[in-house]
Amino acid sequence: MQLDKDDECILAGEQGETRQKMLELLVALGKVFGAERLVPIASAQVSGASYKTIGEYGLQWLSSLDAKAVVPAVLNPIGMPRERWQEMGVEEDFARKQQAVVAAYERLGISLECTCTPYYLRETNFGDHLAWSESSAVSYANSVIGARTNREGGPGALAAALVGKTPCYGFHLGQNRKPQIVIDVREGTRDWTIADFGALGYHVGEMVGNRIPYFTGIRPDKDQLKGLGAAMAATGAVALYHVAGVTPEAVKTQFDLAGLEKIPVEAAEIKKLFKEIPVEAVAVGCPHCSSAELGEIARLLKGKVVRMPFYVFASQGVIDKDPRTVDAIEKSGARVFADTCMVVSPVMEQYEAIMVNSGKALAYVPDMCAAVARIGSIEDCVRVGTE
Ligand code: F3S
């Protein structure tokens, strides 16, 4: 692998042991995947931030590191809101450990925004090279923005943040970004909600595995693309997809689709995922809500009172942009929490059945929270949560 003079200095230990070890890790990863060089990155997004997922061993490893991030870097959601953890019902013992994890990342110069939607906080551009780890964020960056990132593991993304580079292989290279299968959605989807696109992603992810799908027959907006990609990354391992006439690479590039397998999808296959089962709580914001989604939830909850725990998750940056909308949501009794989500917070384990509007949450809640998950539109979530 070609390394420049700076890299050689780091490998020689001239910038400290942590950075040396981190670059060794990146070089080893690059060799495994056949990278010829490292590529500078615009930003990093680091998973492995919830104490629920990394535990004591992960905390000890983080605490042993000593270097500062050299590019903008944020954390993935953690197990609780940094400020309002008591209000969410997080136990003190867990909170102390989670705070220690956050403090360890802060010492490494990682911004304490804990979110799977870093693209709402910092402009990310077409063609930017990134080292992001959360699967829905990776899918959004690659597909909706046209930036370039592999799905990094937590240590790989942290190493990239501390070195400012990542191995140049996989989705960093144009030749690996071409469609590999066509998904032809046969029904009109004009009235589809984010939940419908999430359910489509749930269904398609199961069929395509890690191949790059090229969709025809749909025209989702950006929030709907976010839900579609998150779900495909959950039931499959889709880190990049294209939508004809919508996503930037599909608009800019005349892809050759001849010879690709083509799978038709009927709306009935999607609708059967919508089951009317009783639930004990509602959780919206997987991936974290955009400003538009918060506005929609506020509009739907206006004048209503929630009858069961009703969680809304968004990044602190999005919450801070519009505190009046957040107040309007909370007036109903619903709670808008930053930094965490229905999958990584241990609080959600107290419920037997949770209603979500996300295909990704539909896939993850059963395993991560040991609860039954029901999917519905935001409108359905509000109706069920307030009736
Ligand atoms: Fe984000 Fe948590 Fe969903 S990390 S994508 S809200 S499972």
Side-chain angles (χ1 to χ4, degrees):
M1 189 192 259
Q2 294 165 16
L3 297 173
D4 64 21
K5 279 199 178 130
D6 280 352
D7 301 332
E8 300 291 359
C9 290
I10 294 173
L11 283 179
E14 291 176 21
Q15 294 187 22
E17 194 186 343
T18 295
R19 203 162 271 139
Q20 179 188 24
K21 292 266 176 283
M22 293 292 125
L23 185 50
E24 283 171 2
L25 171 67
L26 295 175
V27 170
L29 271 174
K31 284 184 178 161
V32 167
F33 291 103
E36 291 178 359
R37 63 189 176 95
L38 299 170
V39 63
I41 55 167
S43 64
Q45 190 252 1
V46 182
S47 63
S50 171
Y51 185 79
K52 175 176 165 178
T53 51
I54 68 166
E56 199 54 35
Y57 179 79
L59 173 56
Q60 278 174 19
W61 180 71
L62 286 172
S63 305
S64 72
L65 304 177
D66 184 17
K68 287 269 186 242
V70 294
V71 293
V74 296
L75 279 181
N76 207 35
I78 57 175
M80 62 184 203
R82 277 177 298 143
E83 304 289 333
R84 299 169 71 187
W85 56 271
Q86 282 158 312
E87 196 180 335
M88 195 176 171
V90 174
E91 287 183 8
E92 187 145 356
D93 183 47
F94 180 88
R96 298 282 163 247
K97 288 169 177 159
Q98 183 62 76
Q99 283 161 343
V101 173
V102 169
Y105 277 116
E106 187 173 26
R107 221 170 35 80
L108 297 171
I110 310 295
S111 155
L112 299 189
E113 279 282 3
C114 307
T115 183
C116 50
T117 55
Y119 38 86
Y120 293 148
L121 308 178
R122 182 172 295 104
E123 197 174 314
T124 302
N125 297 308
F126 185 89
D128 281 353
H129 291 275
L130 314 169
W132 288 11
S133 20
E134 197 281 319
S135 64
S136 78
V138 167
S139 167
Y140 194 95
N142 276 325
S143 316
V144 185
I145 299 173
R148 297 183 170 205
T149 178
N150 292 316
R151 184 179 175 187
E152 301 290 349
L158 180 59
L162 298 178
V163 172
K165 296 177 182 176
T166 195
C168 191
Y169 69 93
F171 293 117
H172 292 283
L173 302 171
Q175 69 262 29
N176 297 328
R177 299 177 65 87
K178 294 177 190 155
Q180 296 168 324
I181 183 166
V182 176
I183 305 295
D184 180 27
V185 182
R186 293 270 171 94
E187 305 271 339
T189 60
R190 190 177 306 173
D191 300 330
W192 276 23
T193 64
I194 294 171
D196 291 315
F197 280 100
L200 173 65
Y202 184 105
H203 178 63
V204 172
E206 284 183 326
M207 294 190 292
V208 303
N210 64 358
R211 286 178 288 177
I212 301 171
Y214 182 94
F215 284 89
T216 58
I218 58 173
R219 291 202 71 82
D221 66 23
K222 286 196 173 169
D223 281 331
Q224 293 166 339
L225 287 166
K226 180 176 72 169
L228 172 70
M232 282 192 290
T235 55
V238 176
L240 166 65
Y241 64 95
H242 304 287
V243 180
V246 176
T247 52
E249 279 164 272
V251 170
K252 286 174 197 270
T253 316
Q254 199 67 38
F255 288 123
D256 180 9
L257 305 175
L260 293 186
E261 182 187 354
K262 184 172 179 176
I263 301 185
V265 175
E266 311 285 346
E269 297 171 75
I270 309 306
K271 294 291 175 196
K272 68 181 179 208
L273 290 168
F274 291 73
K275 297 186 179 122
E276 298 215 351
I277 47 178
V279 295
E280 295 173 352
V282 175
V284 178
C286 171
H288 277 174
C289 286
S290 64
S291 299
E293 288 173 281
L294 289 184
E296 169 80 347
I297 297 164
R299 186 183 66 74
L300 291 166
L301 280 172
K302 192 170 179 193
K304 299 192 171 125
V305 176
V306 298
R307 307 278 175 210
M308 63 177 70
F310 196 117
Y311 301 88
V312 179
F313 298 104
S315 68
Q316 191 64 54
V318 167
I319 288 173
D320 290 345
K321 269 189 217 162
D322 197 353
R324 281 170 58 185
T325 298
V326 173
D327 286 348
I329 294 172
E330 296 207 331
K331 221 169 159 187
S332 69
R335 285 290 166 267
V336 183
F337 288 122
D339 306 321
T340 188
C341 80
M342 68 282 274
V343 167
V344 295
S345 174
V347 168
M348 303 307 290
E349 291 165 13
Q350 66 185 296
Y351 305 113
E352 303 266 320
I354 302 170
M355 183 157 188
V356 299
N357 74 326
S358 154
K360 173 168 179 174
L362 182 68
Y364 275 22
V365 161
D367 279 348
M368 295 291 287
C369 308
V372 175
R374 167 181 174 182
I375 189 169
S377 65
I378 292 183
E379 210 164 338
D380 289 338
C381 287
V382 168
R383 182 178 49 74
V384 168
T386 58
E387 67 191 8

